[in-house]
Amino acid sequence: MGNPLVSVIMPVYNGQQFLQKSVGSILRQTYQNIEFIAVDDGSDDQSLKLLEEYKKSMPEHIHMRIISQKNQGICQSRNHALDLAEGKYIMFIDQDDDMEEDCVQYLCREIEEQNADMVIGGFNLVDETGAVIEKWLLDPKLAWSKFRISAPWGRIFRKEIIDQYQIRFMVTKISEDFYFNMLYMSYCQNIFVVSYQGYHWLYNEKSESRANMSRLSEERNLLAMLTKLHADMKKPNILEPEYVEYMVIKHIIWYLFYVAKKADSDGYRRLYDDCMGWIKDYYPYYQQNVFLKSGKVEGENRKIGRVVMVAMFLIKIHLFYPILRVYSKI
C-alpha cells in the first residue's frame, strides 16, 4: 500500500512577501503523497501570480491546487478548502509560517501507527530571520498538553471525522481556531500528543489575530463563539471537564485583558458583566475548579497560570473589574 494522501491547506491574502518561505517549505516536504491547497482570498498584490508560478515547479509527489475567490476571510478560505480536500488526513499552514521538511511525514506516520484521530505537536516561535524566540515543547504524558495550543497548525486531523460531523471553522473574527480545535477534539476517541516541533510560527505583534482580540464589536463576540461551541460539542466526550473549564475561563480572562485598553467604559462594563454572567450560567461551580484556584496546571506556562489564579481571586472578592480599568489606563 502507498502513502495515504495528506491535504495541506494554506489560506493566502496579500502574502507575497511570505510565500517563498511558506510554499518553499511545502516543496521540500519528504512525504511522498501531498495535496497542497492554496486559497487566494482576493489578494490585490502578486500572491496569486506567485502561487501559479510555484505550481509549475511542484515535485511529482505534491499535487498543488489553487483556489481563487473574492475576499471572504480566513474562516471561509479554510472551509472552502475543506469542502474540496481529497486527503485521508488534513493539515494547515498559515501563509507567513513554515514547516520542517519532515513535518508532514512525521505527523502522518504517528497518526497511522497510533491509529489516532488527531496528533498534536509543538512549535517554534520565530522572528522574521527565522531565529527561534521561544520553543513550545509538549509533554505527551501530561493531559494538559492537548489543550495548550489552540491553533490548527502543527497537528494532523482525520478528514473522515471532519466530513462525518461537518466540522468547519465558525465564521467569526475571533477565536475561530479555538472553536474548530475544541469541536474536533470532542468527536475524537484517541488524541495523541508528540514532543516533535516541526512547525515554525512567525511572531507578528501587528497580526490580524492579535488586533481582532483587542477590538470590541459584534463580529468579534467571544461569548457568541463560546455559546455555539458549547452547543456543538459532542456530549459526552473524552475531554477532561476540569481542563476544558480551565481553558474556556482562561480564554475569557485573557479576552478581557486584551479588550480593556480599547473599549469605552460603558461598553466594557457591559462586556465584563456579560462574561461573568456567561461563566456562571455555563460553569456554575467554577470557583471549585482546583486549576483555576491554584493556577497550577502541569505543562501550563507559569506566568499564565499565575495570572489566571490572581484573576480568579479578584473575581471572588469583586475587585477584578476595578483592576482591569486601572490596567486599561497603564
Side-chain angles (χ1 to χ4, degrees), residues 81-133:
L82 285 173
D83 291 340
L84 301 175
E86 298 179 355
K88 180 179 180 180
Y89 301 112
I90 299 289
M91 291 178 62
F92 296 94
I93 180 173
D94 284 351
Q95 66 178 14
D96 50 354
D97 299 336
D98 66 290
M99 300 188 293
E100 293 288 337
E101 64 182 18
D102 67 341
C103 189
V104 176
Q105 182 173 329
Y106 186 98
L107 294 176
C108 187
R109 184 188 70 225
E110 291 298 320
I111 199 169
E112 288 270 292
E113 290 183 356
Q114 302 299 329
N115 192 27
D117 296 323
M118 182 183 203
V119 175
I120 303 172
F123 68 90
N124 289 324
L125 181 64
V126 301
D127 63 19
E128 292 182 354
T129 70
V132 176
I133 301 171

Side-chain angles (χ1 to χ4, degrees), residues 173-220:
K173 289 192 174 182
I174 186 169
S175 300
E176 70 280 351
D177 295 348
F178 188 99
Y179 173 87
F180 184 86
N181 275 306
M182 292 297 291
L183 180 60
Y184 182 90
M185 286 197 294
S186 75
Y187 283 96
C188 291
Q189 295 301 315
N190 180 16
I191 300 172
F192 194 70
V193 175
V194 292
S195 57
Y196 173 78
Q197 295 166 281
Y199 194 89
H200 301 156
W201 179 34
L202 177 66
Y203 178 79
N204 184 356
E205 188 66 42
K206 297 179 181 179
S207 69
E208 181 66 13
S209 60
R210 289 176 180 270
N212 280 335
M213 197 70 167
S214 63
R215 297 172 189 165
L216 182 58
S217 68
E218 188 53 41
E219 62 184 357
R220 296 174 177 85

Side-chain angles (χ1 to χ4, degrees), residues 62-74:
I62 299 177
H63 171 55
M64 183 175 180
R65 302 172 66 181
I66 301 172
I67 301 169
S68 180
Q69 63 183 31
K70 293 181 180 179
N71 183 253
Q72 299 176 52
I74 192 171

Side-chain angles (χ1 to χ4, degrees), residues 11-16 18 39-45 47 71 95:
V12 176
Y13 178 69
N14 290 347
Q16 63 180 22
F18 304 114
V39 184
D40 182 74
D41 189 33
S43 299
D44 53 24
D45 65 359
S47 291
N71 183 253
Q95 66 178 14

